[in-house]
Amino acid sequence: MNRVYLGLGTNIEPRKSHLEKALEQLKQNEAITIVKQSNRYETAPVGYTEQADFLNMVVEIKTTLSPELLLDRCQTIEKELGRERTIRFGPRTIDLDILLYNEENIKTERLTVPHPRMHERGFVLIPLAEIAPHIKIGEETIDKLLNKLPKQERDDVKVWQQ
Ligand code: GSY
């Protein structure tokens, strides 16, 4: 059984419903079990900043799916929830990223794991630290990575309780 961390994000309303539907669709797959899920966080957009705030969260799953098959599953869910890839880094109904797959380093045409930008993204590290405080990303502990984040990046990520 493989232990995987997925990052979810949405910044098109209804954001809460998009997260719930994505989780529901993950659960419906008999090869996937959700083990833990973080709070939802409201986060300022990173990269392309002229867009609405995101809701982000991280889930830990157990799965028998290979990385490529899991990626297929995530992309199918994104399509089913209406994601259109128009502006790169732009608004999206739902984004499902494979952050970590066991402790494997994977590099194929379609997939890089650990996710290449996760170590510098508060909207990933903060929810991940909530559910996996002892995890390492490569050689670095998550605490160390969190301490390296600029204060503004940390302040831009707030638990969302609606
Ligand atoms: O990489 C995921 C999409 N994305 C996000 C996101 O999920 N949250 C925030 N806060 N900013 C983002 N910029 C991009 S691109």
Side-chain angles (χ1 to χ4, degrees), residues 15-33:
R15 297 176 304 171
K16 183 179 177 197
S17 159
H18 289 138
L19 289 178
E20 279 168 0
K21 285 185 178 156
L23 292 173
E24 206 41 55
Q25 294 215 25
L26 286 168
K27 281 182 199 156
Q28 273 168 17
N29 191 303
E30 57 188 28
I32 296 174
T33 306

Side-chain angles (χ1 to χ4, degrees), residues 7-11 42-48 51-56 83 88-90 92 95-97 115 117 121 123-124 156-157:
L8 288 80
T10 167
N11 71 341
E42 187 154 56
T43 70
V46 172
Y48 176 58
Q51 58 178 326
D53 285 354
F54 281 77
L55 285 187
N56 286 107
R83 173 155 175 202
R88 193 170 182 227
F89 303 126
R92 65 233 18 234
D95 198 24
L96 279 166
D97 288 328
H115 189 284
R117 290 172 294 280
R121 289 180 159 179
F123 68 82
V124 173
D156 280 349
V157 176

Side-chain angles (χ1 to χ4, degrees), residues 68-84:
E68 293 278 327
L69 285 177
L70 180 60
L71 179 64
D72 288 343
R73 187 69 214 122
C74 290
Q75 291 185 342
T76 302
I77 294 173
E78 289 178 347
K79 275 202 199 111
E80 285 176 3
L81 292 184
R83 173 155 175 202
E84 288 169 20

